[in-house]
Amino acid sequence: MDGNGRWATSRGRPRTSGHVVGARVVRTIVESAEDAGIGTLTLYAFSADNWKRPTREVSMLMRLFRRYLLSEMDRCVQNGVRMRIIGRRDRIPAELRRTAETAEATTRDGRRLDLRIALDYSARDCMVMAAEKCAGRPLTRDAFVRLMNEVTHSGPVRDVDLLIRTGGEQRLSDFLLWECAYAELYFTDRMWPEFTPADLIAAVREFHARDRRFGGVQESVAAAG
Ligand code: FPP
C-alpha cells in the first residue's frame, strides 16, 4: 500500500493525511475483494522497518490502525470477513494489541474472506524466529511452516498467488518472502490513495492471464514429450 505519503505531499498536505485517505481505500478494497474472486487478502500495513519513520507518523499510524479495527469489526462480521493480525505483537501499543485480539475473536467465524493485516511484520524475522524454535529438530518444509504460523499468529501460512505493489516501487521489502516463492508480481504506478476496485480487478485479470508453471512445463509441452 505504497504512495500515501507522496500522494499527500504532492497536494501540499502532510504525509499523515495520505494515510487517512489510504485507510478509506483499505475499506473499499476489502469490500471489493470477494467480487475480484479473492479468498485471502494480506495487507502490508506496517513493516518492522517502518519504526524508523518519524515518531509522529508512527504514532498516528498506530492510532489509525486501531481506529480502523474498531470501526470495521462489526461490518466484517456482517460480511463474513475474518480479521487476523500477522507480525510481532510485543512492540505495538498495548491498546492496539488488545483491539487486534478483540477484532480477531469477534470475526473468527468469517468464512468469505480471510483478511490479514501485517503489523510490525518482517518475513526475515519471522523465519529467524521459526528457525530458533526448531533448533536441533529435523526440519521439513511443513514443520517450518507450522513454526512460522506460531511466531506470526497468522493462521495457516499460505502461498501467495498474486502480490500487488502500488506507488511505483518494484521490490518485496521483506514481505511474506517464504510465501511469495511462486507469487506473480504486479507493480503499478498508482498511489495507494487512488487505487480502486477496478484496479484490483485489472490486476487479478492479468494474474489469470499469466502462465504459471511452478518450475515445470506447460501441459501441452509435457504431452508432446
Ligand atoms: C507505505 O507507503 C505505507 C505505510 C507504511 C502505511 C500504510 C497504511 C495505510 C494504507 C493506512 C491504513 C491501513 C490500514 C490497514 C487500516 P507510504 O505511505 O509511506 O508512501 P510513500 O512511499 O509515498 O512515502
Side-chain angles (χ1 to χ4, degrees), residues 1-7 15 18-24 26 43-47 50 53 57 61 64-65 68-69 117 119 167 169 191-192:
M1 297 188 288
D2 270 294
N4 296 335
R6 277 168 290 157
W7 179 87
R15 291 176 52 79
H19 295 315
V20 173
V21 179
R24 278 185 227 136
V26 168
L43 302 171
Y44 204 5
F46 193 87
S47 78
N50 286 148
R53 292 184 175 218
E57 183 174 341
L61 278 168
L64 189 61
F65 297 143
Y68 173 84
L69 294 174
I117 301 177
L119 281 184
E169 316 292 359
M191 298 290 144
W192 178 254

PDB file of all heavy atoms in Angstrom, residues 1-7 15 18-24 26 43-47 50 53 57 61 64-65 68-69 117 119 167 169 191-192, ligand 1:
ATOM      1  N   MET A   1       0.847  -1.187   0.000  1.00  0.00           N
ATOM      2  CA  MET A   1       0.000   0.000   0.000  1.00  0.00           C
ATOM      3  C   MET A   1       0.882   1.237   0.000  1.00  0.00           C
ATOM      4  O   MET A   1       0.808   2.053   0.895  1.00  0.00           O
ATOM      5  CB  MET A   1      -0.918  -0.036   1.214  1.00  0.00           C
ATOM      6  CG  MET A   1      -1.870  -1.227   1.195  1.00  0.00           C
ATOM      7  SD  MET A   1      -3.095  -1.165   2.496  1.00  0.00           S
ATOM      8  CE  MET A   1      -2.102  -1.515   3.920  1.00  0.00           C
ATOM      9  N   ASP A   2       1.727   1.331  -1.018  1.00  0.00           N
ATOM     10  CA  ASP A   2       2.666   2.455  -1.074  1.00  0.00           C
ATOM     11  C   ASP A   2       2.065   3.663  -1.764  1.00  0.00           C
ATOM     12  O   ASP A   2       1.273   3.518  -2.691  1.00  0.00           O
ATOM     13  CB  ASP A   2       3.892   2.056  -1.890  1.00  0.00           C
ATOM     14  CG  ASP A   2       4.947   1.455  -1.014  1.00  0.00           C
ATOM     15  OD1 ASP A   2       5.489   2.190  -0.179  1.00  0.00           O
ATOM     16  OD2 ASP A   2       5.185   0.249  -1.151  1.00  0.00           O
ATOM     17  N   GLY A   3       2.553   4.818  -1.338  1.00  0.00           N
ATOM     18  CA  GLY A   3       2.215   6.037  -2.055  1.00  0.00           C
ATOM     19  C   GLY A   3       1.364   7.026  -1.271  1.00  0.00           C
ATOM     20  O   GLY A   3       1.069   8.119  -1.767  1.00  0.00           O
ATOM     21  N   ASN A   4       0.978   6.652  -0.033  1.00  0.00           N
ATOM     22  CA  ASN A   4       0.154   7.580   0.765  1.00  0.00           C
ATOM     23  C   ASN A   4       0.882   8.899   0.973  1.00  0.00           C
ATOM     24  O   ASN A   4       0.312   9.975   0.798  1.00  0.00           O
ATOM     25  CB  ASN A   4      -0.135   7.003   2.154  1.00  0.00           C
ATOM     26  CG  ASN A   4      -0.964   5.752   2.094  1.00  0.00           C
ATOM     27  OD1 ASN A   4      -1.692   5.537   1.145  1.00  0.00           O
ATOM     28  ND2 ASN A   4      -0.842   4.916   3.100  1.00  0.00           N
ATOM     29  N   GLY A   5       2.150   8.771   1.399  1.00  0.00           N
ATOM     30  CA  GLY A   5       2.930   9.976   1.718  1.00  0.00           C
ATOM     31  C   GLY A   5       3.116  10.850   0.491  1.00  0.00           C
ATOM     32  O   GLY A   5       2.862  12.059   0.514  1.00  0.00           O
ATOM     33  N   ARG A   6       3.533  10.232  -0.616  1.00  0.00           N
ATOM     34  CA  ARG A   6       3.773  11.012  -1.833  1.00  0.00           C
ATOM     35  C   ARG A   6       2.485  11.613  -2.379  1.00  0.00           C
ATOM     36  O   ARG A   6       2.447  12.738  -2.856  1.00  0.00           O
ATOM     37  CB  ARG A   6       4.442  10.137  -2.905  1.00  0.00           C
ATOM     38  CG  ARG A   6       5.940  10.041  -2.707  1.00  0.00           C
ATOM     39  CD  ARG A   6       6.527   8.977  -3.563  1.00  0.00           C
ATOM     40  NE  ARG A   6       6.128   7.653  -3.104  1.00  0.00           N
ATOM     41  CZ  ARG A   6       6.113   6.565  -3.868  1.00  0.00           C
ATOM     42  NH1 ARG A   6       6.468   6.647  -5.131  1.00  0.00           N
ATOM     43  NH2 ARG A   6       5.762   5.411  -3.369  1.00  0.00           N
ATOM     44  N   TRP A   7       1.425  10.865  -2.282  1.00  0.00           N
ATOM     45  CA  TRP A   7       0.124  11.368  -2.760  1.00  0.00           C
ATOM     46  C   TRP A   7      -0.246  12.640  -1.993  1.00  0.00           C
ATOM     47  O   TRP A   7      -0.697  13.623  -2.578  1.00  0.00           O
ATOM     48  CB  TRP A   7      -0.934  10.282  -2.557  1.00  0.00           C
ATOM     49  CG  TRP A   7      -2.310  10.680  -2.991  1.00  0.00           C
ATOM     50  CD1 TRP A   7      -2.841  10.569  -4.244  1.00  0.00           C
ATOM     51  CD2 TRP A   7      -3.330  11.261  -2.173  1.00  0.00           C
ATOM     52  NE1 TRP A   7      -4.129  11.048  -4.255  1.00  0.00           N
ATOM     53  CE2 TRP A   7      -4.450  11.470  -2.994  1.00  0.00           C
ATOM     54  CE3 TRP A   7      -3.409  11.619  -0.825  1.00  0.00           C
ATOM     55  CZ2 TRP A   7      -5.637  12.025  -2.510  1.00  0.00           C
ATOM     56  CZ3 TRP A   7      -4.577  12.171  -0.348  1.00  0.00           C
ATOM     57  CH2 TRP A   7      -5.683  12.370  -1.183  1.00  0.00           C
ATOM     58  N   ARG A  15       2.014  14.125   5.138  1.00  0.00           N
ATOM     59  CA  ARG A  15       2.016  12.704   4.766  1.00  0.00           C
ATOM     60  C   ARG A  15       0.883  11.940   5.466  1.00  0.00           C
ATOM     61  O   ARG A  15       0.266  11.059   4.884  1.00  0.00           O
ATOM     62  CB  ARG A  15       3.348  12.070   5.178  1.00  0.00           C
ATOM     63  CG  ARG A  15       4.556  12.526   4.390  1.00  0.00           C
ATOM     64  CD  ARG A  15       5.826  11.898   4.975  1.00  0.00           C
ATOM     65  NE  ARG A  15       5.695  10.455   5.094  1.00  0.00           N
ATOM     66  CZ  ARG A  15       5.830   9.601   4.066  1.00  0.00           C
ATOM     67  NH1 ARG A  15       6.117  10.060   2.877  1.00  0.00           N
ATOM     68  NH2 ARG A  15       5.696   8.313   4.244  1.00  0.00           N
ATOM     69  N   GLY A  18      -2.355  11.442   3.885  1.00  0.00           N
ATOM     70  CA  GLY A  18      -2.380  10.375   2.881  1.00  0.00           C
ATOM     71  C   GLY A  18      -2.741   9.034   3.518  1.00  0.00           C
ATOM     72  O   GLY A  18      -3.457   8.226   2.928  1.00  0.00           O
ATOM     73  N   HIS A  19      -2.269   8.818   4.733  1.00  0.00           N
ATOM     74  CA  HIS A  19      -2.599   7.554   5.416  1.00  0.00           C
ATOM     75  C   HIS A  19      -4.097   7.490   5.750  1.00  0.00           C
ATOM     76  O   HIS A  19      -4.712   6.431   5.687  1.00  0.00           O
ATOM     77  CB  HIS A  19      -1.776   7.409   6.695  1.00  0.00           C
ATOM     78  CG  HIS A  19      -0.290   7.294   6.450  1.00  0.00           C
ATOM     79  ND1 HIS A  19       0.238   6.483   5.478  1.00  0.00           N
ATOM     80  CD2 HIS A  19       0.771   7.906   7.050  1.00  0.00           C
ATOM     81  CE1 HIS A  19       1.569   6.573   5.493  1.00  0.00           C
ATOM     82  NE2 HIS A  19       1.913   7.440   6.436  1.00  0.00           N
ATOM     83  N   VAL A  20      -4.648   8.653   6.116  1.00  0.00           N
ATOM     84  CA  VAL A  20      -6.090   8.673   6.440  1.00  0.00           C
ATOM     85  C   VAL A  20      -6.894   8.281   5.199  1.00  0.00           C
ATOM     86  O   VAL A  20      -7.800   7.437   5.260  1.00  0.00           O
ATOM     87  CB  VAL A  20      -6.526  10.076   6.948  1.00  0.00           C
ATOM     88  CG1 VAL A  20      -8.033  10.152   7.116  1.00  0.00           C
ATOM     89  CG2 VAL A  20      -5.818  10.404   8.252  1.00  0.00           C
ATOM     90  N   VAL A  21      -6.543   8.865   4.056  1.00  0.00           N
ATOM     91  CA  VAL A  21      -7.240   8.507   2.813  1.00  0.00           C
ATOM     92  C   VAL A  21      -6.951   7.033   2.487  1.00  0.00           C
ATOM     93  O   VAL A  21      -7.845   6.283   2.075  1.00  0.00           O
ATOM     94  CB  VAL A  21      -6.813   9.443   1.651  1.00  0.00           C
ATOM     95  CG1 VAL A  21      -7.509   9.048   0.354  1.00  0.00           C
ATOM     96  CG2 VAL A  21      -7.119  10.889   1.997  1.00  0.00           C
ATOM     97  N   GLY A  22      -5.712   6.612   2.731  1.00  0.00           N
ATOM     98  CA  GLY A  22      -5.333   5.216   2.476  1.00  0.00           C
ATOM     99  C   GLY A  22      -6.203   4.245   3.269  1.00  0.00           C
ATOM    100  O   GLY A  22      -6.560   3.176   2.766  1.00  0.00           O
ATOM    101  N   ALA A  23      -6.548   4.602   4.487  1.00  0.00           N
ATOM    102  CA  ALA A  23      -7.390   3.720   5.310  1.00  0.00           C
ATOM    103  C   ALA A  23      -8.790   3.592   4.695  1.00  0.00           C
ATOM    104  O   ALA A  23      -9.399   2.523   4.741  1.00  0.00           O
ATOM    105  CB  ALA A  23      -7.474   4.254   6.733  1.00  0.00           C
ATOM    106  N   ARG A  24      -9.284   4.690   4.105  1.00  0.00           N
ATOM    107  CA  ARG A  24     -10.600   4.597   3.432  1.00  0.00           C
ATOM    108  C   ARG A  24     -10.517   3.666   2.229  1.00  0.00           C
ATOM    109  O   ARG A  24     -11.435   2.904   1.949  1.00  0.00           O
ATOM    110  CB  ARG A  24     -11.044   5.991   2.950  1.00  0.00           C
ATOM    111  CG  ARG A  24     -11.679   6.785   4.072  1.00  0.00           C
ATOM    112  CD  ARG A  24     -12.216   8.109   3.533  1.00  0.00           C
ATOM    113  NE  ARG A  24     -11.802   9.176   4.419  1.00  0.00           N
ATOM    114  CZ  ARG A  24     -11.327  10.357   4.053  1.00  0.00           C
ATOM    115  NH1 ARG A  24     -11.206  10.664   2.778  1.00  0.00           N
ATOM    116  NH2 ARG A  24     -10.973  11.246   4.944  1.00  0.00           N
ATOM    117  N   VAL A  26      -8.535   1.152   1.970  1.00  0.00           N
ATOM    118  CA  VAL A  26      -8.494  -0.222   2.502  1.00  0.00           C
ATOM    119  C   VAL A  26      -9.916  -0.762   2.624  1.00  0.00           C
ATOM    120  O   VAL A  26     -10.227  -1.871   2.184  1.00  0.00           O
ATOM    121  CB  VAL A  26      -7.771  -0.271   3.874  1.00  0.00           C
ATOM    122  CG1 VAL A  26      -7.986  -1.615   4.558  1.00  0.00           C
ATOM    123  CG2 VAL A  26      -6.278   0.008   3.702  1.00  0.00           C
ATOM    124  N   LEU A  43      -2.684  -7.435   3.780  1.00  0.00           N
ATOM    125  CA  LEU A  43      -2.304  -6.031   3.568  1.00  0.00           C
ATOM    126  C   LEU A  43      -1.046  -5.725   4.361  1.00  0.00           C
ATOM    127  O   LEU A  43      -0.994  -5.993   5.565  1.00  0.00           O
ATOM    128  CB  LEU A  43      -3.437  -5.105   4.052  1.00  0.00           C
ATOM    129  CG  LEU A  43      -4.801  -5.310   3.390  1.00  0.00           C
ATOM    130  CD1 LEU A  43      -5.861  -4.483   4.119  1.00  0.00           C
ATOM    131  CD2 LEU A  43      -4.746  -4.921   1.919  1.00  0.00           C
ATOM    132  N   TYR A  44      -0.052  -5.169   3.681  1.00  0.00           N
ATOM    133  CA  TYR A  44       1.198  -4.834   4.379  1.00  0.00           C
ATOM    134  C   TYR A  44       1.038  -3.417   4.924  1.00  0.00           C
ATOM    135  O   TYR A  44       1.307  -2.441   4.231  1.00  0.00           O
ATOM    136  CB  TYR A  44       2.363  -4.905   3.396  1.00  0.00           C
ATOM    137  CG  TYR A  44       3.724  -5.149   4.014  1.00  0.00           C
ATOM    138  CD1 TYR A  44       3.884  -5.402   5.365  1.00  0.00           C
ATOM    139  CD2 TYR A  44       4.856  -5.150   3.211  1.00  0.00           C
ATOM    140  CE1 TYR A  44       5.142  -5.646   5.906  1.00  0.00           C
ATOM    141  CE2 TYR A  44       6.127  -5.392   3.751  1.00  0.00           C
ATOM    142  CZ  TYR A  44       6.256  -5.642   5.093  1.00  0.00           C
ATOM    143  OH  TYR A  44       7.496  -5.876   5.637  1.00  0.00           O
ATOM    144  N   ALA A  45       0.595  -3.337   6.172  1.00  0.00           N
ATOM    145  CA  ALA A  45       0.259  -2.031   6.743  1.00  0.00           C
ATOM    146  C   ALA A  45       1.458  -1.358   7.419  1.00  0.00           C
ATOM    147  O   ALA A  45       1.589  -0.133   7.385  1.00  0.00           O
ATOM    148  CB  ALA A  45      -0.878  -2.193   7.746  1.00  0.00           C
ATOM    149  N   PHE A  46       2.323  -2.180   8.053  1.00  0.00           N
ATOM    150  CA  PHE A  46       3.437  -1.585   8.801  1.00  0.00           C
ATOM    151  C   PHE A  46       4.544  -2.622   8.924  1.00  0.00           C
ATOM    152  O   PHE A  46       4.363  -3.657   9.561  1.00  0.00           O
ATOM    153  CB  PHE A  46       2.960  -1.150  10.192  1.00  0.00           C
ATOM    154  CG  PHE A  46       3.919  -0.259  10.927  1.00  0.00           C
ATOM    155  CD1 PHE A  46       3.894   1.124  10.739  1.00  0.00           C
ATOM    156  CD2 PHE A  46       4.840  -0.794  11.807  1.00  0.00           C
ATOM    157  CE1 PHE A  46       4.783   1.948  11.416  1.00  0.00           C
ATOM    158  CE2 PHE A  46       5.735   0.025  12.489  1.00  0.00           C
ATOM    159  CZ  PHE A  46       5.701   1.403  12.292  1.00  0.00           C
ATOM    160  N   SER A  47       5.676  -2.329   8.306  1.00  0.00           N
ATOM    161  CA  SER A  47       6.782  -3.300   8.353  1.00  0.00           C
ATOM    162  C   SER A  47       7.628  -3.042   9.597  1.00  0.00           C
ATOM    163  O   SER A  47       7.595  -1.945  10.177  1.00  0.00           O
ATOM    164  CB  SER A  47       7.646  -3.172   7.096  1.00  0.00           C
ATOM    165  OG  SER A  47       8.503  -2.057   7.215  1.00  0.00           O
ATOM    166  N   ASN A  50       9.430   0.024   9.376  1.00  0.00           N
ATOM    167  CA  ASN A  50       8.699   1.301   9.427  1.00  0.00           C
ATOM    168  C   ASN A  50       8.838   2.018  10.778  1.00  0.00           C
ATOM    169  O   ASN A  50       8.486   3.193  10.896  1.00  0.00           O
ATOM    170  CB  ASN A  50       7.213   1.113   9.090  1.00  0.00           C
ATOM    171  CG  ASN A  50       6.961   0.857   7.624  1.00  0.00           C
ATOM    172  OD1 ASN A  50       6.029   0.139   7.266  1.00  0.00           O
ATOM    173  ND2 ASN A  50       7.768   1.430   6.752  1.00  0.00           N
ATOM    174  N   ARG A  53      10.518   5.481  10.894  1.00  0.00           N
ATOM    175  CA  ARG A  53       9.835   6.728  10.473  1.00  0.00           C
ATOM    176  C   ARG A  53       9.702   7.695  11.646  1.00  0.00           C
ATOM    177  O   ARG A  53       9.823   7.298  12.810  1.00  0.00           O
ATOM    178  CB  ARG A  53       8.455   6.380   9.923  1.00  0.00           C
ATOM    179  CG  ARG A  53       8.569   5.615   8.641  1.00  0.00           C
ATOM    180  CD  ARG A  53       7.221   5.349   8.029  1.00  0.00           C
ATOM    181  NE  ARG A  53       7.430   4.711   6.743  1.00  0.00           N
ATOM    182  CZ  ARG A  53       6.723   4.927   5.660  1.00  0.00           C
ATOM    183  NH1 ARG A  53       5.710   5.770   5.681  1.00  0.00           N
ATOM    184  NH2 ARG A  53       6.996   4.321   4.536  1.00  0.00           N
ATOM    185  N   GLU A  57       4.582  10.253  12.857  1.00  0.00           N
ATOM    186  CA  GLU A  57       3.914   9.460  11.807  1.00  0.00           C
ATOM    187  C   GLU A  57       3.593   8.051  12.333  1.00  0.00           C
ATOM    188  O   GLU A  57       2.500   7.523  12.100  1.00  0.00           O
ATOM    189  CB  GLU A  57       4.803   9.386  10.551  1.00  0.00           C
ATOM    190  CG  GLU A  57       4.122   8.637   9.412  1.00  0.00           C
ATOM    191  CD  GLU A  57       4.897   8.666   8.088  1.00  0.00           C
ATOM    192  OE1 GLU A  57       5.766   9.543   7.913  1.00  0.00           O
ATOM    193  OE2 GLU A  57       4.617   7.801   7.229  1.00  0.00           O
ATOM    194  N   LEU A  61      -0.058   6.392  12.745  1.00  0.00           N
ATOM    195  CA  LEU A  61      -0.429   5.141  12.080  1.00  0.00           C
ATOM    196  C   LEU A  61      -1.009   4.135  13.078  1.00  0.00           C
ATOM    197  O   LEU A  61      -2.007   3.479  12.800  1.00  0.00           O
ATOM    198  CB  LEU A  61       0.790   4.535  11.372  1.00  0.00           C
ATOM    199  CG  LEU A  61       1.107   5.128   9.999  1.00  0.00           C
ATOM    200  CD1 LEU A  61       2.482   4.666   9.515  1.00  0.00           C
ATOM    201  CD2 LEU A  61       0.037   4.764   8.966  1.00  0.00           C
ATOM    202  N   LEU A  64      -4.425   5.059  13.801  1.00  0.00           N
ATOM    203  CA  LEU A  64      -5.263   4.805  12.620  1.00  0.00           C
ATOM    204  C   LEU A  64      -5.598   3.313  12.488  1.00  0.00           C
ATOM    205  O   LEU A  64      -6.744   2.950  12.191  1.00  0.00           O
ATOM    206  CB  LEU A  64      -4.514   5.296  11.381  1.00  0.00           C
ATOM    207  CG  LEU A  64      -5.264   5.330  10.053  1.00  0.00           C
ATOM    208  CD1 LEU A  64      -6.466   6.268  10.121  1.00  0.00           C
ATOM    209  CD2 LEU A  64      -4.324   5.795   8.930  1.00  0.00           C
ATOM    210  N   PHE A  65      -4.620   2.443  12.747  1.00  0.00           N
ATOM    211  CA  PHE A  65      -4.882   1.004  12.662  1.00  0.00           C
ATOM    212  C   PHE A  65      -5.958   0.618  13.685  1.00  0.00           C
ATOM    213  O   PHE A  65      -6.871  -0.131  13.387  1.00  0.00           O
ATOM    214  CB  PHE A  65      -3.606   0.189  12.932  1.00  0.00           C
ATOM    215  CG  PHE A  65      -2.501   0.420  11.928  1.00  0.00           C
ATOM    216  CD1 PHE A  65      -1.163   0.439  12.328  1.00  0.00           C
ATOM    217  CD2 PHE A  65      -2.785   0.638  10.592  1.00  0.00           C
ATOM    218  CE1 PHE A  65      -0.142   0.651  11.407  1.00  0.00           C
ATOM    219  CE2 PHE A  65      -1.765   0.855   9.656  1.00  0.00           C
ATOM    220  CZ  PHE A  65      -0.441   0.866  10.072  1.00  0.00           C
ATOM    221  N   TYR A  68      -9.306   1.833  12.639  1.00  0.00           N
ATOM    222  CA  TYR A  68      -9.820   1.007  11.533  1.00  0.00           C
ATOM    223  C   TYR A  68     -10.425  -0.286  12.089  1.00  0.00           C
ATOM    224  O   TYR A  68     -11.538  -0.665  11.737  1.00  0.00           O
ATOM    225  CB  TYR A  68      -8.694   0.689  10.539  1.00  0.00           C
ATOM    226  CG  TYR A  68      -9.126  -0.295   9.478  1.00  0.00           C
ATOM    227  CD1 TYR A  68      -9.806   0.138   8.342  1.00  0.00           C
ATOM    228  CD2 TYR A  68      -8.895  -1.663   9.635  1.00  0.00           C
ATOM    229  CE1 TYR A  68     -10.233  -0.772   7.382  1.00  0.00           C
ATOM    230  CE2 TYR A  68      -9.327  -2.571   8.678  1.00  0.00           C
ATOM    231  CZ  TYR A  68      -9.986  -2.118   7.553  1.00  0.00           C
ATOM    232  OH  TYR A  68     -10.426  -3.027   6.618  1.00  0.00           O
ATOM    233  N   LEU A  69      -9.686  -0.948  12.971  1.00  0.00           N
ATOM    234  CA  LEU A  69     -10.178  -2.223  13.520  1.00  0.00           C
ATOM    235  C   LEU A  69     -11.483  -2.009  14.269  1.00  0.00           C
ATOM    236  O   LEU A  69     -12.445  -2.768  14.107  1.00  0.00           O
ATOM    237  CB  LEU A  69      -9.130  -2.851  14.446  1.00  0.00           C
ATOM    238  CG  LEU A  69      -7.824  -3.301  13.775  1.00  0.00           C
ATOM    239  CD1 LEU A  69      -6.813  -3.757  14.827  1.00  0.00           C
ATOM    240  CD2 LEU A  69      -8.077  -4.429  12.780  1.00  0.00           C
ATOM    241  N   ILE A 117      -3.816  -8.510   8.282  1.00  0.00           N
ATOM    242  CA  ILE A 117      -3.172  -7.197   8.281  1.00  0.00           C
ATOM    243  C   ILE A 117      -1.794  -7.378   8.909  1.00  0.00           C
ATOM    244  O   ILE A 117      -1.686  -7.799  10.061  1.00  0.00           O
ATOM    245  CB  ILE A 117      -4.029  -6.175   9.056  1.00  0.00           C
ATOM    246  CG1 ILE A 117      -5.415  -6.084   8.404  1.00  0.00           C
ATOM    247  CG2 ILE A 117      -3.347  -4.805   9.073  1.00  0.00           C
ATOM    248  CD1 ILE A 117      -6.389  -5.164   9.091  1.00  0.00           C
ATOM    249  N   LEU A 119       1.277  -6.168  10.661  1.00  0.00           N
ATOM    250  CA  LEU A 119       1.660  -5.037  11.525  1.00  0.00           C
ATOM    251  C   LEU A 119       2.959  -5.389  12.226  1.00  0.00           C
ATOM    252  O   LEU A 119       3.041  -6.451  12.839  1.00  0.00           O
ATOM    253  CB  LEU A 119       0.604  -4.821  12.609  1.00  0.00           C
ATOM    254  CG  LEU A 119      -0.683  -4.087  12.283  1.00  0.00           C
ATOM    255  CD1 LEU A 119      -1.514  -3.920  13.558  1.00  0.00           C
ATOM    256  CD2 LEU A 119      -0.404  -2.736  11.675  1.00  0.00           C
ATOM    257  N   GLY A 167       2.338   2.443  -5.976  1.00  0.00           N
ATOM    258  CA  GLY A 167       3.291   3.531  -5.736  1.00  0.00           C
ATOM    259  C   GLY A 167       4.560   3.441  -6.563  1.00  0.00           C
ATOM    260  O   GLY A 167       5.521   4.165  -6.292  1.00  0.00           O
ATOM    261  N   GLU A 169       6.921   1.279  -6.727  1.00  0.00           N
ATOM    262  CA  GLU A 169       8.092   0.540  -6.223  1.00  0.00           C
ATOM    263  C   GLU A 169       8.059  -0.880  -6.779  1.00  0.00           C
ATOM    264  O   GLU A 169       6.995  -1.475  -6.915  1.00  0.00           O
ATOM    265  CB  GLU A 169       8.072   0.442  -4.684  1.00  0.00           C
ATOM    266  CG  GLU A 169       7.709   1.703  -3.942  1.00  0.00           C
ATOM    267  CD  GLU A 169       8.763   2.787  -4.056  1.00  0.00           C
ATOM    268  OE1 GLU A 169       9.803   2.537  -4.704  1.00  0.00           O
ATOM    269  OE2 GLU A 169       8.542   3.879  -3.525  1.00  0.00           O
ATOM    270  N   MET A 191      -0.805   5.443  -6.919  1.00  0.00           N
ATOM    271  CA  MET A 191      -0.558   5.651  -5.486  1.00  0.00           C
ATOM    272  C   MET A 191      -1.726   4.991  -4.717  1.00  0.00           C
ATOM    273  O   MET A 191      -2.872   5.028  -5.191  1.00  0.00           O
ATOM    274  CB  MET A 191      -0.502   7.154  -5.155  1.00  0.00           C
ATOM    275  CG  MET A 191       0.617   7.892  -5.872  1.00  0.00           C
ATOM    276  SD  MET A 191       2.255   7.429  -5.247  1.00  0.00           S
ATOM    277  CE  MET A 191       3.215   7.473  -6.758  1.00  0.00           C
ATOM    278  N   TRP A 192      -1.442   4.449  -3.542  1.00  0.00           N
ATOM    279  CA  TRP A 192      -2.487   3.699  -2.829  1.00  0.00           C
ATOM    280  C   TRP A 192      -3.781   4.516  -2.632  1.00  0.00           C
ATOM    281  O   TRP A 192      -4.873   3.966  -2.845  1.00  0.00           O
ATOM    282  CB  TRP A 192      -1.960   3.160  -1.491  1.00  0.00           C
ATOM    283  CG  TRP A 192      -3.028   2.444  -0.732  1.00  0.00           C
ATOM    284  CD1 TRP A 192      -3.689   2.877   0.373  1.00  0.00           C
ATOM    285  CD2 TRP A 192      -3.607   1.167  -1.073  1.00  0.00           C
ATOM    286  NE1 TRP A 192      -4.642   1.969   0.756  1.00  0.00           N
ATOM    287  CE2 TRP A 192      -4.613   0.908  -0.118  1.00  0.00           C
ATOM    288  CE3 TRP A 192      -3.378   0.233  -2.091  1.00  0.00           C
ATOM    289  CZ2 TRP A 192      -5.380  -0.257  -0.150  1.00  0.00           C
ATOM    290  CZ3 TRP A 192      -4.152  -0.925  -2.124  1.00  0.00           C
ATOM    291  CH2 TRP A 192      -5.135  -1.157  -1.163  1.00  0.00           C
TER     292      TRP A 192
HETATM  293  C1  FPP B   1       3.856   2.893   2.925  1.00  0.00           C
HETATM  294  O1  FPP B   1       3.855   3.900   1.983  1.00  0.00           O
HETATM  295  C2  FPP B   1       2.613   2.862   3.705  1.00  0.00           C
HETATM  296  C3  FPP B   1       2.554   2.699   5.045  1.00  0.00           C
HETATM  297  C4  FPP B   1       3.734   2.491   5.904  1.00  0.00           C
HETATM  298  C5  FPP B   1       1.270   2.763   5.775  1.00  0.00           C
HETATM  299  C6  FPP B   1       0.114   2.104   5.119  1.00  0.00           C
HETATM  300  C7  FPP B   1      -1.105   2.472   5.844  1.00  0.00           C
HETATM  301  C8  FPP B   1      -2.315   2.644   5.306  1.00  0.00           C
HETATM  302  C9  FPP B   1      -2.653   2.321   3.909  1.00  0.00           C
HETATM  303  C10 FPP B   1      -3.405   3.187   6.109  1.00  0.00           C
HETATM  304  C11 FPP B   1      -4.210   2.326   6.970  1.00  0.00           C
HETATM  305  C12 FPP B   1      -4.065   0.866   6.879  1.00  0.00           C
HETATM  306  C13 FPP B   1      -4.937   0.006   7.444  1.00  0.00           C
HETATM  307  C14 FPP B   1      -4.710  -1.444   7.364  1.00  0.00           C
HETATM  308  C15 FPP B   1      -6.125   0.471   8.152  1.00  0.00           C
HETATM  309  P1  FPP B   1       3.883   5.470   2.277  1.00  0.00           P
HETATM  310  O2  FPP B   1       2.536   5.933   2.543  1.00  0.00           O
HETATM  311  O3  FPP B   1       4.896   5.760   3.272  1.00  0.00           O
HETATM  312  O4  FPP B   1       4.137   6.114   0.916  1.00  0.00           O
HETATM  313  P2  FPP B   1       5.347   6.842   0.256  1.00  0.00           P
HETATM  314  O5  FPP B   1       6.033   5.706  -0.438  1.00  0.00           O
HETATM  315  O6  FPP B   1       4.664   7.764  -0.660  1.00  0.00           O
HETATM  316  O7  FPP B   1       6.191   7.536   1.263  1.00  0.00           O
END
